[in-house]
Amino acid sequence: MKLLEERIRRDGRVQGSDVLKVDSFLNHQMDVALFQELGREFKRLFDGCGVTKILTIEASGIGIACVTAQFFACPVIFAKKSRTKNIAGDVYTSKVESFTHGKVYDIIVSKEFLLPSDRVLLIDDFLANGSALQGLIQLVREAGATLVGAGVCVEKAFQPGGGLIRSMGVRVEALARVQSMSQESGVIFCEG
Ligand code: 5GP
């Protein structure tokens, strides 16, 4: 999606070898007009899939998931990061390894909100190693719901997550794919 690619090239900042900072428009300050266009594009891509719920993970996926949900006229569920060791039986749980901190944490969704009859679209801001999406896929499977696919704003195509999730037979749509980036030159090469 040209609009997002141009914005990443203009306002994205490369941190170290593998972190793309998009704090000025995507996951700290949020450009809601841009989100509107991203949501519209997710709707175009997954139109006719019968989506009944959008599932994301706190915190940075919530904004884009909510705007996207307006196009699908469905609710958003965000998986909560849990600090409780003994989790009660009324939730689905799975584990996610944080890309930025490397720590493994539990994520939970109440059984009340994710139903076997649901057709679920996963939405997140970034796809890197694929741990966040894997954790969300696990929750959908536990619930016995149908996974329609995953929509991510930015896929870092030089990292393994996209290949991993697609090899599981899950449809993944990325609005921008970063092929390479350099902190030294500041150049971010993206396409697709
Ligand atoms: P994964 O689980 O695919 O390794 O990483 C995805 C999650 O890590 C996303 O939910 C996102 O919040 C965070 N993330 C991964 N890579 C980046 C990045 O380059 N920049 C930012 N801002 N967040 C990232």
Side-chain angles (χ1 to χ4, degrees):
M1 188 190 182
K2 286 272 167 295
L3 186 68
L4 181 59
E5 290 168 20
E6 282 167 14
R7 192 63 182 270
I8 291 169
R9 268 188 233 111
R10 196 184 79 194
D11 293 335
R13 299 286 174 267
V14 184
Q15 192 176 291
S17 60
D18 58 3
V19 175
L20 177 61
K21 301 286 281 183
V22 286
D23 283 2
S24 64
F25 61 96
L26 195 60
N27 55 20
H28 190 15
Q29 174 170 263
M30 296 185 280
D31 182 338
V32 181
L34 174 68
F35 279 25
Q36 187 81 356
E37 297 313 311
L38 304 184
R40 199 189 306 282
E41 183 63 2
F42 283 133
K43 171 65 174 167
R44 189 186 70 77
L45 290 165
F46 289 100
D47 203 16
C49 295
V51 174
T52 63
K53 296 268 164 73
I54 287 179
L55 177 63
T56 188
I57 185 166
E58 68 171 342
S60 52
I62 296 175
I64 181 64
C66 286
V67 175
T68 302
Q70 288 195 302
F71 288 93
F72 287 91
C74 74
V76 173
I77 311 169
F78 65 91
K80 296 188 177 193
K81 296 174 180 171
S82 165
R83 276 164 221 91
T84 326
K85 284 247 162 58
N86 295 316
I87 295 160
D90 54 355
V91 293
Y92 299 115
T93 76
S94 65
K95 292 196 183 301
V96 169
E97 181 173 344
S98 155
F99 177 81
T100 31
H101 305 109
K103 285 187 193 144
V104 176
Y105 54 88
D106 293 305
I107 56 169
I108 61 166
V109 158
S110 170
K111 289 183 179 172
E112 193 184 345
F113 304 127
L114 195 53
L115 308 174
S117 55
D118 276 324
R119 296 181 60 79
V120 181
L121 173 63
L122 307 179
I123 293 284
D124 205 4
D125 57 345
F126 272 91
L127 173 55
N129 292 330
S131 183
L133 286 187
Q134 270 185 298
L136 294 175
I137 291 166
Q138 176 65 26
L139 297 178
V140 174
R141 287 189 174 156
E142 269 194 64
T146 303
L147 181 61
V148 162
V152 294
C153 299
V154 187
E155 175 181 353
K156 286 182 290 176
F158 55 89
Q159 291 175 324
L164 183 81
I165 304 297
R166 289 184 181 96
S167 75
M168 295 166 68
V170 176
R171 177 181 170 194
V172 179
E173 299 285 355
L175 302 188
R177 301 183 79 227
V178 175
Q179 302 293 349
S180 63
M181 56 190 203
S182 159
Q183 186 174 25
E184 287 70 41
S185 64
V187 173
I188 302 165
F189 175 60
C190 38
E191 61 174 14

